[in-house]
Coordinates of all heavy atoms in Angstrom, one line a residue:
D7 N -5.4 -3.5 -9.5 CA -6.4 -3.9 -8.5 C -5.7 -4.2 -7.1 O -6.3 -3.8 -6.1 CB -7.1 -5.2 -9.0 CG -8.1 -4.9 -10.1 OD1 -8.4 -3.7 -10.4 OD2 -8.5 -5.9 -10.8
G8 N -4.6 -4.8 -7.2 CA -3.9 -5.1 -5.9 C -3.4 -3.8 -5.2 O -3.5 -3.7 -4.0
I9 N -3.0 -2.8 -5.9 CA -2.6 -1.6 -5.3 C -3.8 -0.9 -4.7 O -3.8 -0.3 -3.6 CB -1.9 -0.6 -6.3 CG1 -0.6 -1.2 -6.7 CG2 -1.8 0.8 -5.8 CD1 0.4 -1.4 -5.6
A10 N -4.9 -0.9 -5.4 CA -6.2 -0.3 -4.8 C -6.6 -1.0 -3.5 O -6.9 -0.4 -2.5 CB -7.3 -0.4 -5.8
Q11 N -6.5 -2.3 -3.5 CA -6.8 -3.1 -2.3 C -5.8 -2.7 -1.2 O -6.2 -2.5 0.0 CB -6.7 -4.6 -2.5 CG -7.1 -5.4 -1.3 CD -6.9 -6.9 -1.6 OE1 -6.1 -7.3 -2.5 NE2 -7.6 -7.7 -0.8
A12 N -4.5 -2.7 -1.5 CA -3.5 -2.4 -0.5 C -3.7 -1.0 0.1 O -3.6 -0.8 1.3 CB -2.1 -2.5 -1.1
L13 N -4.1 0.0 -0.7 CA -4.3 1.3 -0.2 C -5.5 1.5 0.7 O -5.6 2.3 1.6 CB -4.3 2.3 -1.4 CG -3.0 2.5 -2.1 CD1 -3.1 3.4 -3.3 CD2 -2.0 3.2 -1.1
R14 N -6.5 0.6 0.4 CA -7.7 0.6 1.3 C -7.3 0.1 2.7 O -7.7 0.7 3.7 CB -8.8 -0.3 0.7 CG -9.5 0.3 -0.5 CD -10.8 -0.5 -0.8 NE -10.5 -1.8 -1.2 CZ -10.3 -2.2 -2.5 NH1 -10.3 -1.3 -3.5 NH2 -10.1 -3.5 -2.8
Y15 N -6.4 -0.9 2.7 CA -5.9 -1.4 4.0 C -5.0 -0.3 4.7 O -5.1 -0.1 5.9 CB -5.1 -2.7 3.8 CG -6.0 -3.9 3.9 CD1 -6.7 -4.3 2.8 CD2 -6.0 -4.7 5.0 CE1 -7.5 -5.5 2.9 CE2 -6.8 -5.8 5.1 CZ -7.6 -6.2 4.0 OH -8.4 -7.3 4.1
A16 N -4.1 0.3 3.9 CA -3.2 1.3 4.4 C -4.0 2.4 5.1 O -3.6 3.0 6.1 CB -2.3 1.9 3.3
Q17 N -5.1 2.8 4.5 CA -6.0 3.9 5.0 C -6.6 3.4 6.4 O -6.5 4.2 7.4 CB -7.0 4.3 4.1 CG -7.9 5.5 4.5 CD -8.8 6.0 3.4 OE1 -9.3 5.2 2.6 NE2 -9.0 7.3 3.3
A18 N -7.1 2.2 6.4 CA -7.7 1.7 7.6 C -6.7 1.5 8.7 O -7.1 1.8 9.9 CB -8.5 0.4 7.3
L19 N -5.5 1.1 8.4 CA -4.5 0.8 9.4 C -3.6 2.0 9.7 O -2.7 1.9 10.5 CB -3.6 -0.3 8.9 CG -4.4 -1.6 8.6 CD1 -3.4 -2.7 8.1 CD2 -5.1 -2.1 9.8
Q20 N -3.9 3.2 9.0 CA -3.0 4.4 9.1 C -1.6 4.0 8.9 O -0.7 4.5 9.7 CB -3.3 5.0 10.5 CG -4.7 5.4 10.7 CD -4.9 6.1 12.1 OE1 -4.1 7.0 12.5 NE2 -6.0 5.7 12.8
C21 N -1.3 3.3 7.9 CA 0.0 2.8 7.6 C 0.6 3.7 6.5 O 0.1 3.8 5.4 CB 0.0 1.3 7.1 SG 1.6 0.7 6.8
P22 N 1.8 4.3 6.7 CA 2.4 5.2 5.8 C 3.3 4.6 4.7 O 3.8 5.4 3.9 CB 3.2 6.2 6.7 CG 3.7 5.2 7.8 CD 2.6 4.2 8.0
R23 N 3.5 3.3 4.8 CA 4.5 2.7 3.8 C 3.9 1.4 3.3 O 3.3 0.6 4.0 CB 5.8 2.4 4.5 CG 6.6 3.5 5.0 CD 7.7 3.1 5.9 NE 8.2 4.3 6.7 CZ 7.6 4.6 7.9 NH1 6.6 3.9 8.4 NH2 8.1 5.7 8.5
L24 N 4.2 1.2 2.0 CA 3.7 0.0 1.3 C 4.8 -0.6 0.5 O 5.3 0.1 -0.4 CB 2.5 0.4 0.4 CG 1.8 -0.8 -0.4 CD1 1.2 -1.8 0.6 CD2 0.7 -0.2 -1.3
H25 N 5.2 -1.8 0.8 CA 6.3 -2.4 0.0 C 5.6 -3.1 -1.2 O 4.7 -4.0 -1.0 CB 7.0 -3.5 0.8 CG 7.9 -4.3 0.1 ND1 8.2 -5.7 0.4 CD2 8.7 -4.1 -1.0 CE1 9.0 -6.2 -0.5 NE2 9.4 -5.3 -1.4
V26 N 6.1 -2.8 -2.4 CA 5.6 -3.4 -3.6 C 6.7 -4.4 -4.1 O 7.7 -3.9 -4.6 CB 5.2 -2.4 -4.7 CG1 4.8 -3.1 -6.0 CG2 4.2 -1.4 -4.2
M27 N 6.4 -5.7 -4.0 CA 7.4 -6.7 -4.4 C 7.5 -6.7 -6.0 O 6.5 -6.6 -6.7 CB 7.0 -8.1 -4.0 CG 7.0 -8.2 -2.4 SD 6.7 -9.9 -1.9 CE 8.3 -10.6 -2.2
A28 N 8.7 -6.7 -6.5 CA 9.0 -6.6 -7.9 C 8.5 -7.8 -8.7 O 8.0 -7.7 -9.8 CB 10.5 -6.4 -8.2
G29 N 8.8 -9.0 -8.1 CA 8.4 -10.3 -8.8 C 9.6 -11.0 -9.4 O 10.7 -10.4 -9.5
L30 N 9.3 -12.2 -9.8 CA 10.3 -13.1 -10.4 C 10.3 -12.8 -12.0 O 9.2 -12.7 -12.5 CB 10.1 -14.5 -10.2 CG 9.9 -14.9 -8.7 CD1 9.7 -16.4 -8.6 CD2 11.1 -14.5 -7.9
V31 N 11.5 -12.6 -12.6 CA 11.5 -12.3 -14.0 C 11.0 -13.6 -14.8 O 11.5 -14.7 -14.6 CB 12.9 -12.0 -14.4 CG1 13.0 -11.8 -15.9 CG2 13.4 -10.7 -13.7
P32 N 10.0 -13.5 -15.6 CA 9.5 -14.6 -16.4 C 10.6 -15.2 -17.3 O 11.3 -14.5 -17.9 CB 8.3 -14.0 -17.2 CG 8.0 -12.7 -16.5 CD 9.2 -12.2 -15.9
A33 N 10.6 -16.5 -17.3 CA 11.6 -17.2 -18.2 C 11.4 -16.7 -19.7 O 10.3 -16.7 -20.2 CB 11.4 -18.7 -18.1
G34 N 12.5 -16.4 -20.3 CA 12.5 -16.0 -21.7 C 12.0 -14.6 -22.0 O 11.9 -14.2 -23.1
A35 N 11.6 -13.8 -20.9 CA 11.0 -12.5 -21.1 C 12.1 -11.5 -21.6 O 13.3 -11.7 -21.3 CB 10.4 -12.0 -19.9
D36 N 11.7 -10.6 -22.4 CA 12.6 -9.5 -22.9 C 13.0 -8.6 -21.7 O 12.1 -8.0 -21.1 CB 12.0 -8.7 -24.0 CG 12.8 -7.6 -24.5 OD1 13.9 -7.8 -25.1 OD2 12.4 -6.4 -24.2
A37 N 14.2 -8.4 -21.4 CA 14.7 -7.6 -20.3 C 14.2 -6.2 -20.3 O 13.7 -5.6 -19.3 CB 16.2 -7.7 -20.1
A38 N 14.2 -5.6 -21.5 CA 13.8 -4.2 -21.6 C 12.3 -4.1 -21.3 O 11.8 -3.1 -20.7 CB 14.1 -3.6 -23.0
T39 N 11.5 -5.1 -21.8 CA 10.0 -5.0 -21.6 C 9.7 -5.2 -20.1 O 8.8 -4.5 -19.5 CB 9.4 -6.1 -22.4 OG1 9.7 -5.9 -23.8 CG2 7.9 -6.1 -22.2
V40 N 10.4 -6.1 -19.4 CA 10.2 -6.4 -18.0 C 10.5 -5.1 -17.2 O 9.8 -4.7 -16.3 CB 11.1 -7.5 -17.5 CG1 11.2 -7.6 -16.0 CG2 10.6 -8.8 -18.1
R41 N 11.6 -4.4 -17.5 CA 12.0 -3.2 -16.8 C 11.0 -2.1 -17.0 O 10.6 -1.4 -16.1 CB 13.4 -2.8 -17.3 CG 14.0 -1.7 -16.4 CD 15.5 -1.4 -16.8 NE 16.1 -0.6 -15.8 CZ 16.1 0.7 -15.8 NH1 15.3 1.4 -16.7 NH2 16.7 1.4 -14.9
A42 N 10.6 -2.0 -18.3 CA 9.6 -0.9 -18.6 C 8.2 -1.2 -17.9 O 7.6 -0.2 -17.4 CB 9.4 -0.8 -20.1

């Protein structure tokens, strides 16, 4: 949903780049699952 919203803004602003923040790794999360 967030990507869809960002792309609506990018179209209106004629912006060619969108930075997607990776996020903080959840405590105790499986590293392979997080990466996938």
Side-chain angles (χ1 to χ4, degrees):
D7 288 345
I9 292 298
Q11 181 185 24
L13 289 173
R14 288 194 294 271
Y15 272 80
Q17 185 172 36
L19 303 178
Q20 300 181 44
C21 182
R23 298 168 197 85
L24 183 64
H25 170 215
V26 178
M27 298 187 74
L30 309 180
V31 176
D36 175 71
T39 302
V40 168
R41 192 173 192 276

